[in-house]
Amino acid sequence: MNESRPKSMSSFWMPFTNNRDFKASPRLLVSSEGMYYKDVDGNSVLDGTAGLWCVPCGHAQPKITAAVSRMVGQLDFAPTFQMGHPAAFDLAEQLMDYTGHKFGHVFYTNSGSEAVDTALKIALAYHRARGEGGRTRLIGRERGYHGVGFGGLSVGGIGNNRKSFGPLLPGVDHLPHTHNLLKNAFSRGEPDFGVELADELERLVTLHDASTIAAVIVEPVSGSTGVLVPPKGYLKRLREICDKHGILLIFDEVITGFGRLTTPFASDYFGVEPDMMTTAKGLTNGVVPMGAVFSKAFIHDAFMDAPAGIELFHGYTYSGHPLACAAGLATLEVFREQGIVEHARELQPYFEDALHSLRGLPHVIDLRSIGLVAGIELESIPGKPGARAYSAFKKAFADGILIRVTGDIIALSPPLILTKQHIDELFGKLANVLKNLD
């Protein structure tokens, strides 16, 4: 791999990036191992974000990289349209084992965005297959992030992600978000206030009629919009309302899946089972792009009752790619052998205490955490929303820690293999950044 600076950076149109600012002073990573990146100048950078929420087992994990290396020499590609390869079926079985068989089937995609669009399409097609084709309405939530496909943008609720792309899908409505600084600031885990916001779903049912609503999709914990933790009882109430009206409930677990909350999935943490669950990121430890929709058996079986032939006209060229399956199988093996989730659970109290030690530092107006994910909300500079957190991001990188910011919120989600020493380094350096922030 080339570890020198590129001759030119003009051709790459970077995603979700201030391209002009970045290219004036680039932050270039050239290698990674364990908890650390190395930048182009040879500096170590502690990864406080697991890449983009997607590296729970740490970087350059030997078992995973070896599995992918073996597969690329054995089977570089195999189609899964009217064909198959063993690893795709083996991974599906092991994923169902990992969920405790709460789900029955897996549909592979290549990203979280594709997983969301797939789940929405399956929901619509499911109702049609069972004779309720009038259920076409989808319900998302304000400040929700469900990727960048047109389906995910439509049910998502982040204004900047939506405003440039027209009216998006018709027949979509949104629940209110649950963030309440006045009542829930500096909560540890689930905040006390806001369960009644789930009852807004009843209002939407009254407005649109249940016979028109196919599915509700929410992130159990909203990650990309700033670590918004659901109020106590909120998700259970959504489950009850969906059951009452025959509406499918979809959890977007692209971020929360695979140990982030110190349980295999957020559904385990909250004790609420959705009908479908979207996953990606930690599924392959970020080594090879892959997503997946986990479906309850009754949804899958509704399609199998149709006349013989293709049951669902949907899929991707790279669905169940051999390299991704090899990475997924090895990732599950690492989770089991190294007790990744159990280790994260042991460290959670120390991580939470370290976060809340930042209370009282300049500009900090809220701290919130659940599992090994944390949000630090900063007071905005008048007329310059997002500027303060972006400055913190750049100062943190220069000081050797990688954080993620959205608006004026800092989000932390380190690899789950971290130690107390890594926690001390991360929060110690971050405290210094905050103390010196304008």
Side-chain angles (χ1 to χ4, degrees):
M1 175 181 171
N2 181 15
E3 295 191 6
S4 62
R5 295 181 181 275
K7 295 179 180 178
S8 171
M9 292 189 292
S10 63
S11 297
F12 179 23
W13 190 348
M14 300 172 68
F16 279 112
T17 297
N18 182 336
N19 278 252
R20 290 163 293 181
D21 180 80
F22 175 87
K23 291 174 182 179
S25 182
R27 295 168 292 277
L28 297 171
L29 305 173
V30 297
S31 66
S32 59
E33 183 176 2
M35 287 292 299
Y36 291 88
Y37 282 107
K38 186 175 76 173
D39 72 9
V40 72
D41 296 316
N43 300 309
S44 291
V45 181
L46 176 62
D47 185 1
T49 61
L52 268 176
W53 311 86
C54 57
V55 189
C57 301
H59 296 279
Q61 210 292 327
K63 187 177 290 289
I64 300 171
T65 56
V68 174
S69 296
R70 286 194 300 272
M71 185 61 83
V72 75
Q74 174 185 337
L75 186 66
D76 57 351
F77 175 77
T80 52
F81 295 6
Q82 307 285 15
M83 301 287 290
H85 62 91
F89 296 93
D90 291 342
L91 177 60
E93 292 297 329
Q94 290 197 27
L95 287 171
M96 292 302 90
D97 288 343
Y98 193 66
T99 69
H101 293 279
K102 295 174 183 175
F103 297 87
H105 302 275
V106 175
F107 194 104
Y108 293 122
T109 68
N110 309 290
S111 67
S113 292
E114 289 181 3
V116 167
D117 278 17
T118 295
L120 298 177
K121 290 177 74 174
I122 289 174
L124 295 171
Y126 162 77
H127 288 296
R128 183 180 178 89
R130 57 192 291 271
E132 293 194 40
R135 288 185 180 263
T136 59
R137 190 173 300 279
L138 302 167
I139 307 296
R141 187 168 58 186
E142 296 170 356
R143 294 189 67 168
Y145 179 73
H146 301 291
V148 295
F150 272 95
L153 283 179
S154 299
V155 295
I158 301 177
N160 282 340
N161 289 6
R162 295 164 53 90
K163 66 183 181 182
S164 297
F165 307 111
L168 304 177
L169 296 183
V172 174
D173 213 331
H174 292 78
L175 295 164
H177 67 77
T178 62
H179 189 38
N180 188 325
L181 265 178
L182 182 63
K183 293 185 176 181
N184 290 326
F186 301 101
S187 295
R188 293 176 179 241
E190 298 165 85
D192 291 325
F193 298 97
V195 64
E196 70 281 355
L197 292 169
D199 291 329
E200 286 294 304
L201 181 54
E202 287 282 17
R203 183 184 63 81
L204 295 181
V205 169
T206 301
L207 175 64
H208 300 298
D209 194 85
S211 66
T212 71
I213 301 175
V216 172
I217 181 169
V218 295
E219 300 163 277
V221 176
S222 297
S224 295
T225 193
V227 188
L228 307 186
V229 182
K232 294 175 182 176
Y234 174 87
L235 294 174
K236 289 184 178 180
R237 181 66 180 135
L238 282 185
R239 175 74 275 178
E240 291 167 359
I241 297 171
C242 286
D243 286 343
K244 176 181 175 182
H245 297 290
I247 300 168
L248 295 179
L249 179 61
I250 305 169
F251 278 1
D252 184 340
E253 294 231 30
V254 170
I255 283 176
T256 55
F258 298 98
R260 181 50 54 191
L261 301 192
T262 72
T263 52
F265 299 95
S267 60
D268 302 305
Y269 185 97
F270 295 109
V272 180
E273 292 186 23
D275 301 305
M276 283 188 283
M277 191 163 70
T278 62
T279 65
K281 294 190 183 292
L283 172 59
T284 61
N285 202 47
V287 174
V288 180
M290 190 181 211
V293 178
F294 296 1
S295 166
K296 291 286 191 178
F298 74 86
I299 295 175
H300 166 272
D301 293 347
F303 292 91
M304 298 305 120
D305 290 338
I310 295 174
E311 298 92 4
L312 179 65
F313 283 83
H314 175 70
Y316 303 95
T317 298
Y318 300 113
S319 292
H321 193 285
L323 302 190
C325 291
L329 285 164
T331 298
L332 289 177
E333 189 173 348
V334 171
F335 265 88
R336 290 191 300 267
E337 290 183 351
Q338 298 190 11
I340 298 292
V341 172
E342 294 78 8
H343 174 73
R345 191 176 302 130
E346 290 176 2
L347 280 181
Q348 185 275 330
Y350 194 86
F351 180 84
E352 184 180 81
D353 287 343
L355 169 72
H356 283 272
S357 72
L358 304 179
R359 186 169 184 171
L361 293 185
H363 315 301
V364 174
I365 60 175
D366 191 20
L367 300 164
R368 44 190 181 264
S369 63
I370 187 168
L372 288 189
V373 58
I376 303 160
E377 188 157 355
L378 306 179
E379 185 177 18
S380 296
I381 299 172
K384 297 181 179 180
R388 178 163 281 145
Y390 187 57
S391 176
F393 164 73
K394 293 199 288 187
K395 289 177 182 293
F397 189 85
D399 200 27
I401 57 172
L402 179 62
I403 62 176
R404 177 161 168 72
V405 297
T406 175
D408 274 306
I409 301 168
I410 296 169
L412 301 175
S413 57
L416 304 181
I417 64 167
L418 83 171
T419 65
K420 290 182 177 179
Q421 289 73 28
H422 296 128
I423 294 173
D424 292 342
E425 180 182 355
L426 176 62
F427 285 99
K429 289 185 175 181
L430 184 56
N432 287 331
V433 168
L434 295 173
K435 290 174 183 175
N436 294 284
L437 201 60
D438 295 331

Short mmCIF file of all heavy atoms in Angstrom, two decimals, residues 291-327:
data_model
loop_
_atom_site.label_atom_id
_atom_site.label_comp_id
_atom_site.label_asym_id
_atom_site.label_seq_id
_atom_site.Cartn_x
_atom_site.Cartn_y
_atom_site.Cartn_z
N GLY A 291 -24.24 -5.91 4.33
CA GLY A 291 -25.40 -5.65 5.16
C GLY A 291 -26.31 -6.85 5.13
O GLY A 291 -26.14 -7.78 4.33
N ALA A 292 -27.29 -6.85 6.01
CA ALA A 292 -28.23 -7.97 6.05
C ALA A 292 -29.51 -7.54 6.72
O ALA A 292 -29.50 -6.74 7.65
CB ALA A 292 -27.63 -9.17 6.79
N VAL A 293 -30.61 -8.08 6.24
CA VAL A 293 -31.92 -7.92 6.88
C VAL A 293 -32.26 -9.23 7.56
O VAL A 293 -32.28 -10.28 6.93
CB VAL A 293 -33.00 -7.55 5.86
CG1 VAL A 293 -34.36 -7.45 6.55
CG2 VAL A 293 -32.66 -6.25 5.15
N PHE A 294 -32.51 -9.18 8.87
CA PHE A 294 -32.99 -10.34 9.61
C PHE A 294 -34.51 -10.27 9.66
O PHE A 294 -35.07 -9.24 10.04
CB PHE A 294 -32.44 -10.34 11.03
CG PHE A 294 -30.94 -10.47 11.14
CD1 PHE A 294 -30.14 -10.56 10.02
CD2 PHE A 294 -30.34 -10.49 12.38
CE1 PHE A 294 -28.77 -10.68 10.12
CE2 PHE A 294 -28.96 -10.60 12.51
CZ PHE A 294 -28.17 -10.71 11.38
N SER A 295 -35.15 -11.35 9.30
CA SER A 295 -36.60 -11.37 9.20
C SER A 295 -37.20 -12.47 10.05
O SER A 295 -36.65 -13.58 10.14
CB SER A 295 -37.01 -11.59 7.73
OG SER A 295 -38.37 -11.92 7.62
N LYS A 296 -38.32 -12.16 10.69
CA LYS A 296 -39.09 -13.20 11.36
C LYS A 296 -39.58 -14.22 10.33
O LYS A 296 -39.84 -13.88 9.16
CB LYS A 296 -40.29 -12.59 12.10
CG LYS A 296 -39.92 -11.74 13.30
CD LYS A 296 -39.48 -12.59 14.49
CE LYS A 296 -39.36 -11.76 15.75
NZ LYS A 296 -38.99 -12.57 16.92
N ALA A 297 -39.74 -15.44 10.78
CA ALA A 297 -40.12 -16.51 9.86
C ALA A 297 -41.46 -16.25 9.20
O ALA A 297 -41.65 -16.58 8.02
CB ALA A 297 -40.14 -17.84 10.60
N PHE A 298 -42.41 -15.64 9.90
CA PHE A 298 -43.74 -15.47 9.32
C PHE A 298 -43.71 -14.54 8.11
O PHE A 298 -44.54 -14.69 7.20
CB PHE A 298 -44.73 -14.97 10.37
CG PHE A 298 -44.59 -13.53 10.78
CD1 PHE A 298 -45.22 -12.52 10.04
CD2 PHE A 298 -43.86 -13.18 11.90
CE1 PHE A 298 -45.10 -11.19 10.42
CE2 PHE A 298 -43.73 -11.86 12.28
CZ PHE A 298 -44.35 -10.85 11.54
N ILE A 299 -42.78 -13.62 8.07
CA ILE A 299 -42.67 -12.72 6.90
C ILE A 299 -42.15 -13.52 5.71
O ILE A 299 -42.74 -13.48 4.61
CB ILE A 299 -41.75 -11.54 7.22
CG1 ILE A 299 -42.37 -10.68 8.32
CG2 ILE A 299 -41.48 -10.71 5.97
CD1 ILE A 299 -41.48 -9.54 8.79
N HIS A 300 -41.08 -14.24 5.90
CA HIS A 300 -40.53 -15.08 4.83
C HIS A 300 -41.57 -16.08 4.34
O HIS A 300 -41.76 -16.27 3.12
CB HIS A 300 -39.30 -15.81 5.37
CG HIS A 300 -38.81 -16.94 4.53
ND1 HIS A 300 -39.28 -18.23 4.66
CD2 HIS A 300 -37.88 -16.99 3.54
CE1 HIS A 300 -38.68 -19.02 3.81
NE2 HIS A 300 -37.81 -18.30 3.11
N ASP A 301 -42.29 -16.71 5.26
CA ASP A 301 -43.21 -17.77 4.88
C ASP A 301 -44.38 -17.25 4.05
O ASP A 301 -44.95 -18.00 3.23
CB ASP A 301 -43.73 -18.49 6.12
CG ASP A 301 -42.63 -19.26 6.84
OD1 ASP A 301 -41.55 -19.43 6.25
OD2 ASP A 301 -42.85 -19.67 8.00
N ALA A 302 -44.74 -15.98 4.24
CA ALA A 302 -45.83 -15.41 3.44
C ALA A 302 -45.47 -15.41 1.96
O ALA A 302 -46.36 -15.56 1.10
CB ALA A 302 -46.14 -13.99 3.91
N PHE A 303 -44.19 -15.26 1.65
CA PHE A 303 -43.75 -15.28 0.25
C PHE A 303 -43.69 -16.71 -0.29
O PHE A 303 -43.92 -16.95 -1.47
CB PHE A 303 -42.37 -14.62 0.12
CG PHE A 303 -42.37 -13.15 0.38
CD1 PHE A 303 -42.16 -12.65 1.65
CD2 PHE A 303 -42.60 -12.24 -0.65
CE1 PHE A 303 -42.15 -11.30 1.90
CE2 PHE A 303 -42.60 -10.88 -0.42
CZ PHE A 303 -42.38 -10.40 0.86
N MET A 304 -43.39 -17.66 0.58
CA MET A 304 -43.25 -19.05 0.14
C MET A 304 -44.60 -19.69 -0.15
O MET A 304 -44.66 -20.77 -0.76
CB MET A 304 -42.51 -19.86 1.21
CG MET A 304 -41.10 -19.37 1.48
SD MET A 304 -40.03 -19.27 0.02
CE MET A 304 -39.64 -17.50 0.04
N ASP A 305 -45.68 -19.06 0.25
CA ASP A 305 -47.02 -19.59 -0.06
C ASP A 305 -47.49 -19.22 -1.46
O ASP A 305 -48.56 -19.64 -1.90
CB ASP A 305 -48.04 -19.05 0.96
CG ASP A 305 -47.84 -19.67 2.34
OD1 ASP A 305 -47.25 -20.76 2.42
OD2 ASP A 305 -48.26 -19.04 3.34
N ALA A 306 -46.70 -18.43 -2.18
CA ALA A 306 -47.07 -18.00 -3.53
C ALA A 306 -46.86 -19.14 -4.53
O ALA A 306 -46.21 -20.14 -4.21
CB ALA A 306 -46.22 -16.79 -3.92
N PRO A 307 -47.40 -19.01 -5.74
CA PRO A 307 -47.15 -20.02 -6.77
C PRO A 307 -45.65 -20.18 -7.03
O PRO A 307 -44.85 -19.28 -6.76
CB PRO A 307 -47.86 -19.45 -8.01
CG PRO A 307 -48.92 -18.56 -7.45
CD PRO A 307 -48.35 -17.98 -6.21
N ALA A 308 -45.26 -21.33 -7.55
CA ALA A 308 -43.85 -21.63 -7.79
C ALA A 308 -43.22 -20.56 -8.68
O ALA A 308 -43.83 -20.08 -9.63
CB ALA A 308 -43.71 -23.00 -8.43
N GLY A 309 -41.98 -20.21 -8.36
CA GLY A 309 -41.26 -19.19 -9.12
C GLY A 309 -40.48 -18.29 -8.18
O GLY A 309 -40.39 -18.54 -6.98
N ILE A 310 -39.91 -17.23 -8.71
CA ILE A 310 -39.17 -16.27 -7.89
C ILE A 310 -40.14 -15.59 -6.94
O ILE A 310 -41.13 -15.00 -7.35
CB ILE A 310 -38.46 -15.23 -8.78
CG1 ILE A 310 -37.38 -15.91 -9.62
CG2 ILE A 310 -37.86 -14.11 -7.93
CD1 ILE A 310 -36.71 -15.00 -10.65
N GLU A 311 -39.85 -15.69 -5.65
CA GLU A 311 -40.80 -15.17 -4.66
C GLU A 311 -40.65 -13.67 -4.42
O GLU A 311 -41.62 -12.99 -4.10
CB GLU A 311 -40.62 -15.91 -3.32
CG GLU A 311 -40.89 -17.40 -3.38
CD GLU A 311 -39.63 -18.20 -3.66
OE1 GLU A 311 -38.53 -17.60 -3.73
OE2 GLU A 311 -39.75 -19.44 -3.82
N LEU A 312 -39.42 -13.14 -4.52
CA LEU A 312 -39.18 -11.72 -4.27
C LEU A 312 -38.24 -11.19 -5.34
O LEU A 312 -37.10 -11.61 -5.45
CB LEU A 312 -38.55 -11.52 -2.88
CG LEU A 312 -38.22 -10.07 -2.48
CD1 LEU A 312 -39.50 -9.25 -2.36
CD2 LEU A 312 -37.43 -10.04 -1.18
N PHE A 313 -38.73 -10.27 -6.15
CA PHE A 313 -37.94 -9.71 -7.24
C PHE A 313 -37.08 -8.56 -6.71
O PHE A 313 -37.32 -7.39 -6.95
CB PHE A 313 -38.86 -9.25 -8.37
CG PHE A 313 -39.38 -10.39 -9.20
CD1 PHE A 313 -40.49 -11.12 -8.78
CD2 PHE A 313 -38.75 -10.77 -10.38
CE1 PHE A 313 -40.97 -12.18 -9.52
CE2 PHE A 313 -39.21 -11.84 -11.13
CZ PHE A 313 -40.33 -12.55 -10.70
N HIS A 314 -36.04 -8.96 -6.00
CA HIS A 314 -35.16 -7.98 -5.38
C HIS A 314 -33.84 -8.66 -5.04
O HIS A 314 -33.80 -9.84 -4.72
CB HIS A 314 -35.79 -7.43 -4.10
CG HIS A 314 -34.88 -6.50 -3.33
ND1 HIS A 314 -34.55 -5.25 -3.79
CD2 HIS A 314 -34.23 -6.66 -2.15
CE1 HIS A 314 -33.73 -4.68 -2.92
NE2 HIS A 314 -33.52 -5.51 -1.91
N GLY A 315 -32.76 -7.90 -5.10
CA GLY A 315 -31.44 -8.43 -4.73
C GLY A 315 -30.35 -7.58 -5.36
O GLY A 315 -30.62 -6.63 -6.11
N TYR A 316 -29.11 -7.92 -5.05
CA TYR A 316 -27.96 -7.17 -5.53
C TYR A 316 -26.92 -8.13 -6.10
O TYR A 316 -26.78 -9.26 -5.63
CB TYR A 316 -27.34 -6.36 -4.39
CG TYR A 316 -28.31 -5.42 -3.72
CD1 TYR A 316 -29.00 -5.81 -2.57
CD2 TYR A 316 -28.57 -4.16 -4.25
CE1 TYR A 316 -29.91 -4.96 -1.96
CE2 TYR A 316 -29.48 -3.31 -3.65
CZ TYR A 316 -30.14 -3.71 -2.50
OH TYR A 316 -31.05 -2.87 -1.91
N THR A 317 -26.16 -7.67 -7.08
CA THR A 317 -25.11 -8.49 -7.67
C THR A 317 -24.21 -9.09 -6.60
O THR A 317 -23.81 -10.25 -6.67
CB THR A 317 -24.26 -7.65 -8.64
OG1 THR A 317 -25.09 -7.17 -9.71
CG2 THR A 317 -23.11 -8.47 -9.22
N TYR A 318 -23.90 -8.29 -5.59
CA TYR A 318 -22.95 -8.73 -4.57
C TYR A 318 -23.61 -9.23 -3.29
O TYR A 318 -22.95 -9.34 -2.25
CB TYR A 318 -21.97 -7.59 -4.26
CG TYR A 318 -21.18 -7.14 -5.47
CD1 TYR A 318 -21.36 -5.88 -6.02
CD2 TYR A 318 -20.28 -8.01 -6.09
CE1 TYR A 318 -20.66 -5.48 -7.14
CE2 TYR A 318 -19.57 -7.62 -7.20
CZ TYR A 318 -19.76 -6.35 -7.73
OH TYR A 318 -19.05 -5.96 -8.84
N SER A 319 -24.91 -9.52 -3.33
CA SER A 319 -25.57 -10.10 -2.16
C SER A 319 -24.90 -11.42 -1.78
O SER A 319 -24.83 -12.35 -2.59
CB SER A 319 -27.05 -10.35 -2.45
OG SER A 319 -27.77 -9.16 -2.61
N GLY A 320 -24.40 -11.49 -0.55
CA GLY A 320 -23.74 -12.72 -0.11
C GLY A 320 -22.40 -12.97 -0.79
O GLY A 320 -22.03 -14.12 -1.05
N HIS A 321 -21.65 -11.90 -1.06
CA HIS A 321 -20.36 -12.03 -1.71
C HIS A 321 -19.45 -12.95 -0.90
O HIS A 321 -19.42 -12.88 0.34
CB HIS A 321 -19.71 -10.65 -1.84
CG HIS A 321 -18.52 -10.62 -2.75
ND1 HIS A 321 -17.29 -11.14 -2.38
CD2 HIS A 321 -18.37 -10.16 -4.02
CE1 HIS A 321 -16.44 -10.98 -3.38
NE2 HIS A 321 -17.08 -10.38 -4.38
N PRO A 322 -18.70 -13.83 -1.55
CA PRO A 322 -17.87 -14.79 -0.81
C PRO A 322 -16.91 -14.15 0.18
O PRO A 322 -16.73 -14.65 1.29
CB PRO A 322 -17.12 -15.53 -1.92
CG PRO A 322 -18.01 -15.44 -3.11
CD PRO A 322 -18.67 -14.10 -3.00
N LEU A 323 -16.27 -13.04 -0.19
CA LEU A 323 -15.32 -12.41 0.72
C LEU A 323 -16.04 -11.83 1.94
O LEU A 323 -15.54 -11.92 3.07
CB LEU A 323 -14.54 -11.30 0.01
CG LEU A 323 -13.74 -11.70 -1.22
CD1 LEU A 323 -12.83 -10.55 -1.65
CD2 LEU A 323 -12.92 -12.94 -0.98
N ALA A 324 -17.20 -11.24 1.72
CA ALA A 324 -17.98 -10.71 2.84
C ALA A 324 -18.43 -11.82 3.77
O ALA A 324 -18.40 -11.68 5.00
CB ALA A 324 -19.17 -9.92 2.32
N CYS A 325 -18.85 -12.94 3.19
CA CYS A 325 -19.28 -14.07 4.02
C CYS A 325 -18.12 -14.63 4.84
O CYS A 325 -18.28 -14.98 6.02
CB CYS A 325 -19.89 -15.17 3.15
SG CYS A 325 -21.48 -14.73 2.42
N ALA A 326 -16.94 -14.71 4.22
CA ALA A 326 -15.76 -15.17 4.96
C ALA A 326 -15.46 -14.23 6.12
O ALA A 326 -15.16 -14.68 7.24
CB ALA A 326 -14.56 -15.26 4.02
N ALA A 327 -15.55 -12.93 5.87
CA ALA A 327 -15.30 -11.96 6.93
C ALA A 327 -16.35 -12.07 8.03
O ALA A 327 -16.04 -11.99 9.22
CB ALA A 327 -15.29 -10.54 6.35
#
